[in-house]
């Protein structure tokens, strides 16, 4: 019996992209080496995996709900929420968000009645914010157009619900409604590629089609939801990306990557050539083989595109009060990255410090509706936050106001206390910005004392590095 592993290891849900709708038939050009051609082998594989799952599965709140909830719509809703949250996010992170979400909106009708601001607020910190918005849009649609009933089949789920792709549709249909349909996520991809020694690019149309076909062939007709969860659980806890626990694996006896490793070891020790049979395998192409990687030669790692570099200047505009300070937040546009979330005012980065400062102060004046002193603007350092496809650098400034500005704030701007900031729909990057600001020494009512640059240092200068070093020190370090 294997030791239980920490919840959250190896979460591999991908945010769903449109996947070509491939036929469940086995592609004719795939070699039998990558198939389960024998019905008896399929039956034994299912039995091994399910019996392991029954003993070793992690106790997760969405699993409890799916098992205990008698109402099919409530059950499907709870699976739907968990599957959307798990896309690109570790299980350990999701547990708290899921629990809070289900306490606040235990049924689809509750979510349909919530505002987007409330959804963003609860989602803050989980990333990929469009997921929460899509969930809420889906809840509206079910309540207003589908009579409050979630579609019962994978095809209809994918067709009718926003943000529900092929994987999520299959997961909801099999777990909540018992539809016999296989699923393929990142974990299942890894398990299947290893079990059937598939070494070609798992993102290619041929391999994608083959994996869905295998998943459909393997799914247990009596327990489809459990089987799909078992395959994902195996990938998350045993057949992990870098350190698979092969001796503890319930399907080791079916695993062709294990056999490939043994064969490669024999080839090395006996200095034999590879068998011609495997050289011609169409979805294998696991070349060059790396001896040190063993079974983790499968699946092939796709070439990663480096994230795009982007820079912006952001200002923590603070208004001092007799009891508590307040910060200016502005709302992002309703579409695009971090849509509808609140952040400190920002402008795109400029080439020179002087232009940067003027641009930033001009934007701040627009927000607060009054004059602001350029020379009081201090540069604090840089914060880097990596989104899925963007490496965003924020050059962080601060401007502290002694008095309340006279002008009225336009819509989409508001002053918040620190406590309100923490509870607001604010992205993680802005929380990092606030932490950098709070790591600075108090400068109440004072401009920078730097003799070289009364306005403080500019982006990229040595001072920034010093500031950042200070920021990363433990709070107790003097
Ligand atoms: Fe993965 Fe190892 Fe199990 Fe094969 S034997 S499926 S590589 S954990």
């Amino acid at each position: 019996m294997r030791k239980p592993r920490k919840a959250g290891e190896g979460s591999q849900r991908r945010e769903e992209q449109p996947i070509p709708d491939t036929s469940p038939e086995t592609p004719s050009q795939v070699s039998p080496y990558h198939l389960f051609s024998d019905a008896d082998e399929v039956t034994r594989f299912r039995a091994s995996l399910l019996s392991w799952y029954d003993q070793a599965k992690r106790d997760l709140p969405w699993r409890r709900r799916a098992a205990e909830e008698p109402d099919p719509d409530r059950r499907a809703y709870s699976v739907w929420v968990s599957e959307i949250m798990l896309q690109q996010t570790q299980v350990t992170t999701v547990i708290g968000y899921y629990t809070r979400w289900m306490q606040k909106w235990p049924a689809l009708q509750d979510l349909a009645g919530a505002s987007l601001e409330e959804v963003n607020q609860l989602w803050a910190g989980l990333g990929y914010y469009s997921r929460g918005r899509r969930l809420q849009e889906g809840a509206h649609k079910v309540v207003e157009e589908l009579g409050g009933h979630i579609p019962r089949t994978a095809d209809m789920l994918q067709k009718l619900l926003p943000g529900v792709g092929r994987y999520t549709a299959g997961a909801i249909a099999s777990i909540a409604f018992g539809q016999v349909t296989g699923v393929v996520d990142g974990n299942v991809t890894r398990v299947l590629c290893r079990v059937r020694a598939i070494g070609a690019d798992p993102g290619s149309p041929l391999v994608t089609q083959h994996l869905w076909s295998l998943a459909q062939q393997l799914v247990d007709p009596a327990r489809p939801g459990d089987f799909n969860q078992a395959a994902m659980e195996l990938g998350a806890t045993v057949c992990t990306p870098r350190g698979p626990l092969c001796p503890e694996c319930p399907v080791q006896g079916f695993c062709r990557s294990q056999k490939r490793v043994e064969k490669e070891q024999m080839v090395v020790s006996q200095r034999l050539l590879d068998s011609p049979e495997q050289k011609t395998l169409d979805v294998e192409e696991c070349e060059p083989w790396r001896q040190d990687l063993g079974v983790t030669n499968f699946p092939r790692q796709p070439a990663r595109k480096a994230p795009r570099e982007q820079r912006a200047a952001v200002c923590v505009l603070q208004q001092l009060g007799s009891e508590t300070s307040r910060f200016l937040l502005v709302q992002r546009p309703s579409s695009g990255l971090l849509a509808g979330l609140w952040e400190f005012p920002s402008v795109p980065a400029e080439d020179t410090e002087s232009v940067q400062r003027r641009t930033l102060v001009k934007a701040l004046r627009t927000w607060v509706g009054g004059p602001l002193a350029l020379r009081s603007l201090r540069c604090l350092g840089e914060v880097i936050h990596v989104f899925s496809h963007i490496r965003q650098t924020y050059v962080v400034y601060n401007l502290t106001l002694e008095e309340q500005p006279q002008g009225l704030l336009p819509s989409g701007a508001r002053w918040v206390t620190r406590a309100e900031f923490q509870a607001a729909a604010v992205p993680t990057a802005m929380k990092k910005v606030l932490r950098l600001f709070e790591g600075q020494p108090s400068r109440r009512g004072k401009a920078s004392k730097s003799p070289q640059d009364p306005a403080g240092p500019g982006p990229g200068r040595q001072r920034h590095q010093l500031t950042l070093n200070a920021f990363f020190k433990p709070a107790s370090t003097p």
Side-chain angles (χ1 to χ4, degrees), residues 190-191 194-195 234 238-240 244-258 295-296:
R190 186 168 55 260
V191 169
R194 288 177 181 168
V195 165
L234 188 74
V238 175
C239 194
T240 55
L245 306 170
C246 299
E248 300 174 27
C249 177
V251 296
Q252 190 182 18
F254 303 86
C255 184
R256 291 204 165 136
S257 64
Q258 277 271 297
V295 294
T296 65

Side-chain angles (χ1 to χ4, degrees), residues 58-130:
R58 290 169 293 180
D59 178 25
L60 300 172
W62 45 91
R63 287 194 179 145
R64 282 199 296 277
R65 272 184 181 264
E68 292 164 8
E69 176 57 62
D71 180 87
D73 287 303
R74 289 174 80 105
R75 191 166 63 237
Y77 166 67
S78 71
V79 176
W80 181 11
V81 172
S82 67
E83 290 299 337
I84 297 292
M85 285 188 172
L86 284 165
Q87 290 169 6
Q88 301 278 22
T89 311
Q90 293 284 329
V91 167
T92 40
T93 308
V94 169
I95 289 173
Y97 281 90
Y98 180 83
T99 306
R100 288 190 289 279
W101 182 286
M102 298 309 286
Q103 277 165 356
K104 196 168 170 80
W105 302 303
L108 199 76
Q109 287 70 12
D110 303 313
L111 176 60
S115 69
L116 182 57
E117 179 73 11
E118 286 177 292
V119 169
N120 282 336
Q121 230 168 315
L122 201 144
W123 204 274
L126 199 53
Y128 298 98
Y129 291 86
S130 61

Side-chain angles (χ1 to χ4, degrees), residues 432-468:
K432 290 185 184 174
V433 167
L434 184 68
R435 285 203 294 274
L436 174 59
F437 166 74
E438 291 182 337
Q440 303 300 306
S442 170
R443 290 234 180 159
R444 186 175 174 123
K446 291 180 187 169
S448 167
K449 287 182 177 171
S450 164
Q452 292 82 19
D453 181 358
R461 297 185 192 182
Q462 192 185 13
R463 170 73 176 276
H464 286 186
Q465 195 53 52
L466 293 174
T467 308
L468 279 174

Side-chain angles (χ1 to χ4, degrees), residues 306-319:
R308 190 172 79 239
E309 294 284 343
Q310 208 164 277
R311 290 177 71 83
V314 60
C315 183
V316 180
L317 183 61
Q318 183 188 31
Q319 181 204 312

Side-chain angles (χ1 to χ4, degrees), residues 194 241-242 244 261 288-298:
R194 288 177 181 168
R242 277 174 289 281
V261 169
W289 177 265
R290 276 185 54 188
Q291 197 70 22
D292 58 318
L293 292 182
V295 294
T296 65
N297 276 287
F298 301 97

